[in-house]
Amino acid sequence: MRLAMLLLSACLLCACPRPALSGSGDAAALDTAASLRERALADTTAWRVVESLTTEIGPRLAGSEADARAVAWAQAKFRELGYDRVWTEPVTFPRWERRGESAQVLGAHAQPLVVTALGGSPGGTVEAEIVRFDSLEALQAAPAGSLQGRIAFVDHAMPRARDGSGYGKGGAIRSRGPSEAIRKGAVGFLMRSASTSPQRVANTGITRFDDGLEPVPAAALSLPDADQLARLLQRGPVRVRLALDCGWDGEYTSHNVIGEITGRDAPQEVVLLGAHLDSWDLGTGAIDDASGIGITMAAGHLIGQLPQRPRRTIRVVAFANEEQGLLGGREYARRHAADVANHVIAVESDFGAGRIYGFNTSGGDAPAVARIAGALAPLGIAHLPGKGGPGPDISPLAAVGGAWAWLGQDGTRYFDLHHNADDTLDKIDPADLAQNLAAYAVFAWMAAESDAGFGSAPKPANDADE
Ligand code: ZN
Ligand code: ZN
């Protein structure tokens, strides 16, 4: 706004006949935002990027052979899309592999069950009686030793919600349930998938074992299989054989892949758009998170097609290994912590390909935030102060003081597909994806063209709340 006011004064002084607020400053930025928005809604770049990644690379489990192909793919794609600078930064982590998995009910009602190992689970075969709990709290309340030689089964049904809030409990069961079960003496762990899918597909996702515990095989059942197991348990004791062939195997070095549209006036000031390049191995990682890769790469590309570069740099980061613990995001924040003040604002697309309905930021210059909100409003996006938060890979950057924006996607169907074999390209609506692209292009342009701050400032690492 300051620049516009100066120009307005200058025009009044020289009695320039041209309308003072058009063609320059904030008004010009808004005009460009409006044309970007319209172009993006008709643009297929995001779709073509998602199609390319999910078709040519397919599933890209961190540390797998496909991880390396995805890194090469991302570098080539940034170059193909006209980015000014493309580079990689190494990220090293332990490698987990899935080789095989099965489960069967034994005895009078013998039958197979559809399961998938949780990421981080050890391999092994256990045959034991099932003990069912309807929540993590119920498992925690079980007496010590009460699961000796048994398999714990947590059968919590995750509710469907636009903001994905049901995942809080579902995700906690996956991450904390196995350790709780081990503490009670269990030899195996089963959970109803943290999912809303009625299909016979099971959902993976990382789990962790607390220090000092001996890990046990841990897996998730599809929802129909969890229902089946619950019905069998109503008829009497049930024994299950759970056989997992998976586990940790050495270390692997992948890469964050970074492309930049270099700013014309303040190239050191960065507007960061993030998504993660890795995926789980069961589907092709279309909504998690090829869609985010497509949206962010295409947003930078559209801005790069404008007649001149934005004032600030737009940096798109395809993060390595989000799925197993935000490894790429943590490494990025570690490497760039000293430069956090120059990360003017960051946003991440990692909640599928549903339409964006809400916008918020961690703070910043109120008129600048309001201008961005105004430019997003024609896309059906409401300014929702107090809502949202930083995406997973930018949360370590936020923890060291980076400002964030939130472009909240409709996640009503997200957990039908997330981390299961149904996460494939056909589930993405190209029109919804284009609305996402428009939102990211408008946001990135407005934030990069502005000279306003959003509150990024170094914060002591011990304040980190990631
Ligand atoms: Zn994700
Ligand atoms: Zn995921």
Side-chain angles (χ1 to χ4, degrees), residues 276 280 288 322-323 414 418-419:
H276 65 87
W280 285 105
D288 186 19
E322 185 273 347
E323 294 292 5
Y414 185 64
H418 172 256
H419 295 188

Side-chain angles (χ1 to χ4, degrees), residues 249-436:
D249 181 21
E251 278 203 334
Y252 182 85
T253 296
S254 182
H255 294 82
N256 289 334
V257 185
I258 304 172
E260 266 190 10
I261 299 294
T262 306
R264 68 174 190 276
D265 283 351
Q268 76 285 1
E269 294 180 15
V270 169
V271 173
L272 188 152
L273 313 183
H276 65 87
L277 188 56
D278 70 308
S279 76
W280 285 105
D281 50 336
L282 303 175
T284 60
I287 62 137
D288 186 19
D289 184 23
S291 54
I293 294 287
I295 291 160
T296 54
M297 278 189 171
H301 166 72
L302 284 190
I303 293 168
Q305 302 261 290
L306 294 171
Q308 67 172 0
R309 291 292 182 254
R311 218 181 67 73
R312 292 167 165 154
T313 289
I314 292 172
R315 180 178 294 177
V316 177
V317 185
F319 288 101
N321 198 350
E322 185 273 347
E323 294 292 5
Q324 298 171 17
L326 320 183
L327 285 308
R330 290 179 201 275
E331 175 58 21
Y332 184 91
R334 190 195 64 75
R335 187 180 284 260
H336 297 275
D339 195 34
V340 72
N342 273 326
H343 285 72
V344 175
I345 194 163
V347 63
E348 179 168 23
S349 174
D350 185 20
F351 199 51
R355 295 180 86 82
I356 294 174
Y357 65 89
F359 162 69
N360 190 22
T361 66
S362 53
D365 178 83
V369 173
R371 276 194 297 279
I372 297 174
L376 293 169
L379 294 166
I381 299 170
H383 188 194
L384 301 175
K387 297 282 188 201
D393 291 297
I394 61 168
S395 61
L397 191 67
V400 295
W404 52 262
W406 170 74
L407 287 164
Q409 293 165 298
D410 186 330
T412 306
R413 292 178 55 243
Y414 185 64
F415 291 101
D416 290 358
L417 309 170
H418 172 256
H419 295 188
N420 71 38
D422 278 342
D423 182 7
T424 49
L425 181 66
D426 49 291
K427 313 305 188 306
I428 295 179
D429 179 330
D432 289 352
L433 194 69
Q435 188 259 7
N436 276 262

Side-chain angles (χ1 to χ4, degrees), residues 91-322:
V91 182
T92 299
F93 47 82
R95 168 168 39 201
W96 182 83
E97 290 183 333
R98 182 197 315 275
R99 294 175 289 269
E101 52 202 14
S102 68
Q104 295 93 33
V105 172
L106 304 172
H109 306 295
Q111 56 188 291
L113 295 169
V114 170
V115 293
T116 193
L118 302 183
S121 173
T125 298
V126 291
E127 285 187 18
E129 189 176 320
I130 297 288
V131 182
R132 180 184 173 279
F133 300 91
D134 59 12
S135 66
L136 182 61
E137 293 73 20
L139 170 60
Q140 286 166 331
S146 61
L147 298 181
Q148 207 63 45
R150 294 173 169 161
I151 295 172
F153 165 40
V154 181
D155 192 17
H156 165 76
M158 179 180 145
R160 187 180 291 281
R162 182 173 75 162
D163 66 358
S165 51
Y167 191 54
K169 275 195 170 178
I173 291 167
R174 196 186 69 220
S175 57
R176 291 163 46 203
S179 290
E180 292 293 344
I182 294 165
R183 275 194 276 273
K184 311 295 181 185
V187 295
F189 176 83
L190 284 172
M191 66 179 284
R192 182 183 184 92
S193 284
S195 175
T196 51
S197 173
Q199 306 303 319
R200 204 173 182 191
V201 290
N203 294 43
T204 190
I206 198 72
T207 190
R208 256 169 260 297
F209 296 90
D210 293 346
D211 289 345
L213 299 178
E214 186 62 36
V216 302
L221 292 154
S222 84
L223 272 46
D225 287 82
D227 291 340
Q228 181 83 335
L229 188 53
R231 281 192 299 270
L232 286 167
L233 284 162
Q234 285 168 4
R235 287 160 165 80
V238 177
R239 282 181 70 79
V240 164
R241 178 175 191 272
L242 174 63
L244 303 182
D245 181 8
C246 57
W248 297 102
D249 181 21
E251 278 203 334
Y252 182 85
T253 296
S254 182
H255 294 82
N256 289 334
V257 185
I258 304 172
E260 266 190 10
I261 299 294
T262 306
R264 68 174 190 276
D265 283 351
Q268 76 285 1
E269 294 180 15
V270 169
V271 173
L272 188 152
L273 313 183
H276 65 87
L277 188 56
D278 70 308
S279 76
W280 285 105
D281 50 336
L282 303 175
T284 60
I287 62 137
D288 186 19
D289 184 23
S291 54
I293 294 287
I295 291 160
T296 54
M297 278 189 171
H301 166 72
L302 284 190
I303 293 168
Q305 302 261 290
L306 294 171
Q308 67 172 0
R309 291 292 182 254
R311 218 181 67 73
R312 292 167 165 154
T313 289
I314 292 172
R315 180 178 294 177
V316 177
V317 185
F319 288 101
N321 198 350
E322 185 273 347

Side-chain angles (χ1 to χ4, degrees), residues 59-77:
R60 35 201 190 279
L61 186 69
S64 68
E65 165 277 336
D67 183 325
R69 281 192 289 127
V71 166
W73 172 92
Q75 293 173 80
K77 195 59 71 179

